[in-house]
Amino acid sequence: MIHQKAIYLSILVVMCQGLIAQNEEDYIEFNDRYNVVHGVYMGLTTHYGEIDNENSYMMGLKAAYVADKKLEMGLIAVVFYSEQDEFGLDANEFDVYGGYGGLHFEPILFRHSKFSLSFPLLIGGGTVGYGKDDFAGRDATYAGDDKNWPTFFIAEPGVNVLFNFSRYLQLEIGGRYRLSSKFDMLPGSPVDLNGYSFGIGVKVGVFNLGRNRYKNNL
């Protein structure tokens, strides 16, 4: 009798376990809060600075991939204009125009805070020319010597404060320093683009494409 009761009890336990297992959803448990999250964005920047001690204005457009909110990698293009006024060749005034672009890298500190600190770096090249004001309201664009636009290599490190409004929007404020190789244009014209600039920018995209999960259905 005792053996029969033990057998019946064992059968009952097995049946109960089977019913419980049928009601439970199959899943695996894990926590990916420390996994790498990905992001992408488009950014627009505007800066004011000096080239050869004259007022200069820059506007940039960049596209970048963000790795775990720690590092940005992408491409950037910048156009610039500098009020050089007069090179001393005649009574007319000349201004400098040009553009440059290249690879964009930006390590980020304090990535989980509302305010982050980053160190952007541009490495690339560009070209430069000059425009002549003939006092008739017309600007004619000229190249440098031998009718070719001189080219140059440029590196532009900087520092930014990032305001993280949401996972879709960031505002940046900061400064940069341009280091370019020398180029030849008109006598008395700038021979490089070296100098500081300060400005603001906006980034629009998705800075965190991942999300934390604790269960994943099989």
Side-chain angles (χ1 to χ4, degrees), residues 3-176:
H3 293 295
Q4 290 180 349
K5 290 182 178 179
I7 293 173
Y8 291 149
L9 182 60
S10 299
I11 294 174
L12 181 61
V13 171
V14 172
M15 292 177 63
C16 291
Q17 290 179 344
L19 291 174
I20 293 173
Q22 289 179 359
N23 291 329
E24 288 183 347
E25 184 180 0
D26 291 333
Y27 64 85
I28 58 174
E29 293 188 0
F30 68 100
N31 181 359
D32 68 349
R33 68 174 62 192
Y34 298 114
N35 285 3
V36 174
V37 293
H38 309 277
V40 291
Y41 74 84
M42 295 288 293
L44 182 66
T45 62
T46 178
H47 280 70
Y48 165 80
E50 290 188 350
I51 297 176
D52 199 26
N53 298 319
E54 300 294 344
N55 294 333
S56 305
Y57 309 91
M58 300 89 181
M59 180 169 289
L61 179 66
K62 58 184 174 181
Y65 160 74
V66 186
D68 204 23
K69 296 184 179 180
K70 293 181 179 179
L71 176 65
E72 297 181 5
M73 298 173 288
L75 300 174
I76 185 170
V78 180
V79 294
F80 64 88
Y81 163 73
S82 181
E83 299 174 347
Q84 292 298 317
D85 296 332
E86 186 173 333
F87 290 148
L89 295 181
D90 52 33
N92 294 325
E93 294 182 349
F94 291 82
D95 295 328
V96 170
Y97 305 82
Y100 57 90
L103 300 177
H104 165 74
F105 302 96
E106 189 167 355
I108 303 170
L109 301 180
F110 315 115
R111 58 194 176 107
H112 294 303
S113 302
K114 194 69 175 180
F115 301 93
S116 302
L117 186 66
S118 68
F119 301 91
L121 172 64
L122 181 156
I123 299 176
T127 186
V128 61
Y130 59 89
K132 176 181 177 182
D133 189 343
D134 61 6
F135 296 102
R138 299 186 299 271
D139 286 331
T141 301
Y142 295 84
D145 295 341
D146 69 16
K147 300 303 180 181
N148 292 318
W149 286 66
T151 58
F152 55 85
F153 169 82
I154 189 168
E156 190 175 34
V159 58
N160 283 333
V161 175
L162 305 177
F163 299 86
N164 303 304
F165 287 103
S166 71
R167 64 183 295 202
Y168 308 107
L169 180 66
Q170 281 187 350
L171 177 68
E172 65 179 31
I173 299 177
R176 304 173 182 175

